[in-house]
Amino acid sequence: MLKKTNEFLAGLPMTIVAGVFLLLDFVPHFAQEFCGVSIRLAFLPFDPAWVTVIISGIPLLYLAVWRLIHNPGISKISSALLITIAMFAAIAIGDLFAAGEVAFIMAIGAILEEMTTNRAKKGLKKLIDLAPTQGRRLSDGREEMIPAGEIRQGDILRILPGETIPVDGKIISGETSVDQSVMTGESLPVDKAPGDEVFCGTINRFGAIDIAAAKVGEDSTLQKLIHMVQDAENKQAPMQRIADKAASWLVPVALLIAIGAYIGTGNMVTAVTVLVVFCPCALVLATPTAVMAAIGQATKHGVVIKSGEALEKMGKVDTIAFDKTGTLTYGRLDVSDIFSFEADLNEVSLLALAASVEAKSEHPLGKAIVSCAKKKGLPLAESSDFKMVAGKGVSAEVSGKRLLCGSEKFLVENGASIGPAIQSVLNELRLQGKASILVSSGSKCIGTIALSDVLRPEARDMISQLHAMRTHTVLLTGDHDQTANYFAEQAGISQVRSELLPEEKVQNIVRLQREKRKVCMIGDGVNDAPALKTADVSVAMGHMGSDIAIDAADVALMSDDLSKIPYLKRLSNATVATIQFSIALSMCINFTAIVLSLLQILNPTTGALVHNAGSCFVVLIAALLYDRKFE
């Protein structure tokens, strides 16, 4: 009951009510102190500041007592305790305005901080939802659907096209292509044959396969992925208020000065004034107000920042790790090269023939070829006797010719000859990280079409800007080594770590952190979620990226514009500098006010006004961040 009451009073609606009543009490105090005019609010039978004291003071008292009881060691002494003492001291001498003012400023600081540090926790649920709920077990020659939790190691499972693989296992019969993007982030399905491993949560795209269950339940790769996100989430410490860090010395110093002032002057009002002006309200506001302004500035530029802690940490980052597919690249396949090996067959005609064969294919490579031909306005011939061999290629009759499109192995198995000249072209394409579709007619290989992911045009300039800011870059990807190195060279990244599973990405992040580096991870896929959580700060590609990656990250780029990364770094640096300046300013104002209080120039009411002015200065300085240019 007490906790619910406290939460109600500390909420935004009641804090607004407290502010209205404090303003009503401010009018007669201002008129009396600065104009010498006595004003009485006859329509109220009580001092309006009492409302502010009750609404904002009870949550403050609750927080101070709770920390005294539950916090360990020196952390029992908090800024809430100092402000509570000042509030009760002001009440004791009858200055309700001063009491209400310090409580209200603290309430505003708490609300601003809560607004900037609340983070969505939906990502883990979405990740758990990826886990398959059932599987098709083969037993005594018959199939039965059973819950995934009942699958045991060694069970034989049948996976049909389009189904999600329910456990980690090894193929014992059948060939297919498996979409492993949930695990590796690779844009291409991976061809699988008997003896190859498959992973829980990945999708069987084409042929039916039978697998022997190897890792089930909590031991599966997907469940380990879920646990890594949970563990990394638990390691994320909430941002501790700067005022509370300083409270261990602020409280005793304030009390000593107040006691000394009372002993030296014999005036209790002077002692209370010292406590009022000593309250670290401006200190409390310095961080959340600057963070709110920076978050608003970033939002205008399509960058969603989920916490103030992320801004602070981004300013200290010296290493940025990138995923490849969907991050540095668009994550889509386009035809990049067309090579004809026949003198009387040009590249356009080869593309039209290949597209005619692939027109009925569901494979992403085939679809990309057909899409390219259609974009070029090429006419596609009708095909007949279409056949697909899962994981290898397709064949069809086109214009009276039997044409094959597929892998080198597929063509060789069907009698096509692959000479040294063709091998040389294929090797060059592999070095560039490109996938090749060979086309044959009869026993002749008549050409090849290469497909590649596309590097984002702003990637190289973005990396160059980061290097100019003395920020180290590294590529962490599940792609093959040749593909990773090719795109890293195009982007200007010198350090490459490829063929990584999600846990290996995490291990690389941890290794960098052990080298005393502050690491930012940038990614877009489900497989990036553990690495995003493990990094000191993380950025997700928001437009095309996985919802889970977005929820796991501290920052989301809603336009997928990589040029926003240097902008984010500059904004973070400026935010940290603004917070540091505001803290220094608030401390100077407090020091000056303490001196004026000891000289009895300020009383609790004027002291509260000076104290309030310091808080306003901090807010105004933070607001300047909102319109500053960081491009």
Side-chain angles (χ1 to χ4, degrees):
M1 181 65 182
L2 181 60
K3 185 177 180 181
K4 288 184 178 180
T5 302
N6 178 70
E7 290 173 352
F8 172 72
L9 293 174
L12 182 59
M14 292 305 295
T15 302
I16 292 173
V17 172
V20 170
F21 278 89
L22 185 66
L23 183 62
L24 287 175
D25 195 55
F26 171 74
V27 174
H29 277 85
F30 182 83
Q32 180 68 40
E33 292 289 340
F34 297 100
C35 304
V37 178
S38 179
I39 297 177
R40 185 174 178 81
L41 301 176
F43 61 90
L44 285 175
F46 56 86
D47 192 323
W50 269 118
V51 177
T52 307
V53 170
I54 292 170
I55 292 175
S56 297
I58 289 176
L60 181 64
L61 175 62
Y62 176 88
L63 180 62
V65 172
W66 191 93
R67 288 177 175 173
L68 275 173
I69 296 171
H70 296 285
N71 280 14
I74 196 68
S75 61
K76 290 179 180 291
I77 302 173
S78 64
S79 57
L81 178 61
L82 175 56
I83 298 172
T84 300
I85 293 171
M87 180 180 70
F88 278 109
I91 292 173
I93 64 168
D95 198 327
L96 292 176
F97 174 78
E101 187 269 345
V102 293
F104 177 72
I105 292 295
M106 187 69 175
I108 290 294
I111 288 173
L112 289 175
E113 187 174 38
E114 183 180 4
M115 289 171 63
T116 58
T117 57
N118 280 344
R119 299 178 60 186
K121 304 279 185 174
K122 299 176 183 177
L124 185 58
K125 181 181 181 299
K126 291 178 181 176
L127 187 58
I128 292 171
D129 288 343
L130 287 177
T133 58
Q134 59 183 5
R136 182 181 287 98
R137 184 169 64 187
L138 300 181
S139 179
D140 298 326
R142 61 186 180 87
E143 298 179 8
E144 59 174 338
M145 296 300 295
I146 61 172
E150 294 182 11
I151 298 173
R152 298 292 178 260
Q153 188 173 4
D155 283 351
I156 305 302
L157 307 173
R158 177 160 292 168
I159 318 296
L160 299 181
E163 291 184 343
T164 300
I165 298 170
V167 295
D168 290 6
K170 185 173 289 187
I171 297 177
I172 57 176
S173 67
E175 295 181 342
T176 187
S177 295
V178 177
D179 180 354
Q180 296 188 155
S181 59
V182 68
M183 299 302 303
T184 66
E186 286 186 275
S187 54
L188 294 175
V190 179
D191 295 335
K192 299 285 186 177
D196 290 337
E197 291 184 334
V198 292
F199 302 103
C200 177
T202 59
I203 302 171
N204 179 28
R205 284 300 184 196
F206 304 110
I209 55 173
D210 293 343
I211 69 170
K215 296 178 181 178
V216 301
E218 296 298 310
D219 292 330
S220 73
T221 306
L222 182 63
Q223 289 297 331
K224 288 180 179 178
L225 183 64
I226 291 170
H227 288 313
M228 278 190 288
V229 175
Q230 286 175 321
D231 292 343
E233 177 67 39
N234 292 335
K235 291 175 185 175
Q236 293 287 337
M239 184 173 62
Q240 187 178 14
R241 294 178 182 176
I242 295 175
D244 282 339
K245 292 179 182 178
S248 58
W249 60 268
L250 274 176
V251 173
V253 168
L255 290 173
L256 285 173
I257 294 176
I259 292 170
Y262 177 67
I263 294 172
T265 64
N267 189 345
M268 178 59 74
V269 172
T270 301
V272 173
T273 304
V274 169
L275 287 175
V276 169
V277 299
F278 215 116
C279 289
C281 291
L283 199 61
V284 169
L285 287 171
T287 297
T289 51
V291 165
M292 280 199 70
I295 288 175
Q297 151 86 242
T299 302
K300 289 194 300 182
H301 290 80
V303 180
V304 177
I305 301 172
K306 297 183 183 179
S307 73
E309 187 180 19
L311 270 172
E312 184 179 358
K313 288 184 175 180
M314 191 68 192
K316 299 174 183 177
V317 160
D318 55 21
T319 301
I320 298 182
F322 292 89
D323 173 50
K324 181 189 79 67
T325 306
T327 302
L328 285 178
T329 67
Y330 283 110
R332 66 168 188 259
L333 292 169
D334 284 340
V335 172
S336 58
D337 305 274
I338 303 173
F339 294 94
S340 173
F341 303 137
E342 294 289 303
D344 58 347
L345 182 68
N346 60 33
E347 294 177 354
V348 173
S349 299
L350 177 64
L351 177 61
L353 280 176
S356 299
V357 177
E358 295 280 7
K360 298 176 182 178
S361 173
E362 291 297 316
H363 197 284
L365 294 179
K367 286 184 174 182
I369 290 173
V370 174
S371 176
C372 179
K374 288 182 176 179
K375 284 179 182 177
K376 293 179 180 292
L378 302 181
L380 303 186
E382 282 295 324
S383 65
S384 60
D385 194 22
F386 174 84
K387 293 179 181 178
M388 183 181 78
V389 180
K392 293 184 178 181
V394 298
S395 63
E397 291 280 346
V398 177
S399 302
K401 297 179 180 178
R402 187 68 184 173
L403 299 177
L404 280 73
C405 294
S407 66
E408 180 183 350
K409 181 181 178 182
F410 179 60
L411 266 65
V412 171
E413 287 177 353
N414 284 273
S417 176
I418 309 295
I422 298 176
Q423 284 287 357
S424 177
V425 172
L426 295 178
N427 290 336
E428 182 65 27
L429 292 173
R430 289 190 190 101
L431 289 174
Q432 295 176 12
K434 298 175 181 178
S436 298
I437 293 293
L438 291 165
V439 185
S440 73
S441 175
S443 62
K444 279 188 176 182
C445 180
I446 60 176
T448 186
I449 297 175
L451 300 99
S452 174
D453 203 346
V454 180
L455 186 74
R456 295 181 187 274
E458 70 273 16
R460 189 169 187 87
D461 181 62
M462 177 269 299
I463 296 295
S464 178
Q465 288 188 53
L466 291 176
H467 289 171
M469 296 164 69
R470 297 182 179 180
T471 304
H472 181 67
T473 58
V474 59
L475 181 63
L476 302 180
T477 178
D479 273 3
H480 294 297
D481 187 58
Q482 291 173 331
T483 303
N485 280 301
Y486 174 76
F487 281 102
E489 183 180 354
Q490 295 296 307
I493 299 175
S494 57
Q495 189 172 356
V496 181
R497 294 169 187 175
S498 57
E499 300 184 25
L500 302 177
L501 289 172
E503 62 265 28
E504 292 172 323
K505 287 187 179 182
V506 170
Q507 290 165 8
N508 276 275
I509 296 280
V510 171
R511 188 179 300 123
L512 289 167
Q513 291 171 329
R514 286 174 180 167
E515 295 171 2
K516 306 301 181 184
R517 293 184 178 274
K518 294 295 182 181
V519 183
C520 170
M521 175 69 192
I522 303 178
D524 77 310
V526 175
N527 61 294
D528 298 320
L532 290 169
K533 282 291 186 183
T534 302
D536 296 289
V537 64
S538 52
V539 180
M541 307 297 284
H543 182 63
M544 295 288 289
S546 155
D547 287 344
I548 295 164
I550 295 170
D551 288 336
D554 302 301
V555 182
L557 304 182
M558 301 315 293
S559 63
D560 281 1
D561 184 358
L562 287 176
S563 67
K564 300 302 181 185
I565 300 299
Y567 158 80
L568 176 63
K569 188 80 171 69
R570 295 187 190 103
L571 175 65
S572 301
N573 293 343
T575 302
V576 171
T578 298
I579 291 171
Q580 291 171 342
F581 177 76
S582 295
I583 289 172
L585 177 64
S586 67
M587 296 299 286
C588 288
I589 291 173
N590 276 17
F591 177 77
T592 303
I594 290 167
V595 172
L596 294 176
S597 300
L598 293 174
L599 295 174
Q600 298 186 351
I601 296 174
L602 296 179
N603 59 35
T605 298
T606 53
L609 294 174
V610 171
H611 169 263
N612 210 345
S615 299
C616 290
F617 277 131
V618 166
V619 173
L620 289 173
I621 291 167
L624 295 176
L625 274 173
Y626 186 75
D627 291 315
R628 195 183 303 180
K629 302 297 182 182
F630 292 99
E631 298 291 346

